[in-house]
Amino acid sequence: MIFRPEKLKIKDQRMVSFIDSDELWGYIHTTPATKEKVREVIAKSLDKNRLTLAETAILINATDPDLIEEIKQGARMLKEKVYGQRIALPIYIGNLCTNNCSYCGFKATNNKVKRVTLNREDLISQVRALEDTGQKRLILVYGEHPKYDANFIAESVRTVYSVKSGPGEIRRVNINAAPMDIDGFRIIKDAKIGTYQIFQETYHRETYARVHQGGQKRDYDWRLTGLDRAQEAGIDDVGIGALFGLYDWRFELLGLVRHTNHFEAVYNVGPHTISFPRIQYASELNLDKSNMVSDSEFTRLVAILRLAVPYTGLILTARETAAIRDEIMQFGVSQIDGGTNIEMGGYSKRKEHEEQDIDLEQFQINDNRTLNEIMDDLIEQKYIPSFCTACYRLGRTGEHFMEFSVPGFIKRYCQPNALMTMVEYLEDYAPPETKAKGYLLMQEKLDEIEDESFKIKLTEKINQIKDGQRDLYF
Ligand code: SAM
Ligand code: SF4
């Protein structure tokens, strides 16, 4: 390898800021992308190695259309190593907020938005409505407000887990909420959450200060070290993210890779997931649009991210159109949402393709397909839609990379578990056409299994599901 390992100016320590803006820009300005170097970096990633900042910068600096296509092709090849699409759905618990993020419809100064906090009964009816469509994994989302403290969040998690509707149940609850102190994270961990997500929004300190004027969120370092505190409290499945469109996408991409290095250096495990939302229209949006990311830049940056962190789960949301989602899914996105409605209380009153009520929403979403439409599309494209929660239930947390690095893990665990959750869905919720297509895909996948004794075991479990048993996994 011609590239030397990073000698970062800021040494990684627990709960200490690790972003040096000059350093990140330095990589972008000093690593030219020759064809040879770009190919060498792609090859390193395909060999299942995480890329350094310098190597990521080489991919970022590749502007020749043929090289960009080679990068995308590399990302598509990596996808072969991802077995299927996990589905998790956001549900907004409350939109009270004391912050003033310039890009968000829920900001404190927006008096056009209706402020709602779901009470226990509301939440139960939302969850029941989701379970009745077949959802098994949720992301609970909260504004930042004293009312939504650790005890409140933990209580909502417990409520969600307690709701059972027919064969429906929620098996994994992830959280997207403000950072808290270590004691707060401990309270939430005790409620048995899956992943805790906090997006830094922008890693660029000056831009951060400009778009966060007011409230606790204006403290860049408190937010940046938020997931360190979660780790200290024992939450080892953490999700990072950047909101693309606030600052130069090249810088944000390196920021995400730097955040990943930080976790690896200090906690010996990278983030479980990375999210890369792009700014969408919101009520009272107040933004400098000069850093908005075009579709072609967006697909390019996701391909680079895929190559930079081959072991990390990537989350794609309904903020993007179905067309962009289809392209990006080819790069091995491991989690999507399906049937998303980010209107407060929107699931229980949902009609198909209902008009969005922007004054109840944080921002506008662009993929309004129902869960079954998404399931059907995934099956059609030969992805296995997955509601798998096995690793989390068996304590295999904090080590997402295990799926990729332990030989045979995907074949032995992920793929069969994904298939079994798909069969549950086909039995309990799918209309006949989706059911027929789903069973054809299942048979194709079963036929691909070479280990005959394992195939027999899996077929037995699938038959048990058809006979009415639920929640089986390896
Ligand atoms: N209030 C908490 C916070 O800010 O971290 C958690 C929930 S916030 C509702 C979830 C994420 O939505 C934010 O981190 C931000 O990245 C994203 N978001 C906010 N406004 C957006 C917009 N206009 N378009 C796309 N994403 C947006
Ligand atoms: Fe509040 Fe989060 Fe919206 Fe900022 S992004 S205004 S913290 S809900």
Side-chain angles (χ1 to χ4, degrees), residues 92 103-104 141-144 176-178 199 201 217 223 243 277-280 282 319 362-363:
Y92 281 67
Y103 45 82
C104 179
V141 187
Y142 308 76
E144 182 159 355
N176 186 328
F199 305 159
E201 321 297 9
K217 194 164 169 179
R223 192 156 178 100
L243 180 58
R278 226 178 1 161
I279 291 178
Q280 306 296 327
R319 291 175 180 86
Q362 184 197 11
F363 50 80

Side-chain angles (χ1 to χ4, degrees), residues 338-340 350 352-353 367-375:
T340 305
R350 176 189 178 94
E352 294 217 342
H353 304 302
D367 186 346
N368 288 309
R369 290 176 292 177
T370 61
L371 175 61
N372 190 68
E373 284 167 329
I374 302 261
M375 297 289 287

Side-chain angles (χ1 to χ4, degrees), residues 259-274:
H259 207 158
T260 302
N261 297 345
H262 172 73
F263 285 137
E264 287 180 358
V266 179
Y267 302 102
N268 218 9
V269 54
H272 188 63
T273 55
I274 300 184

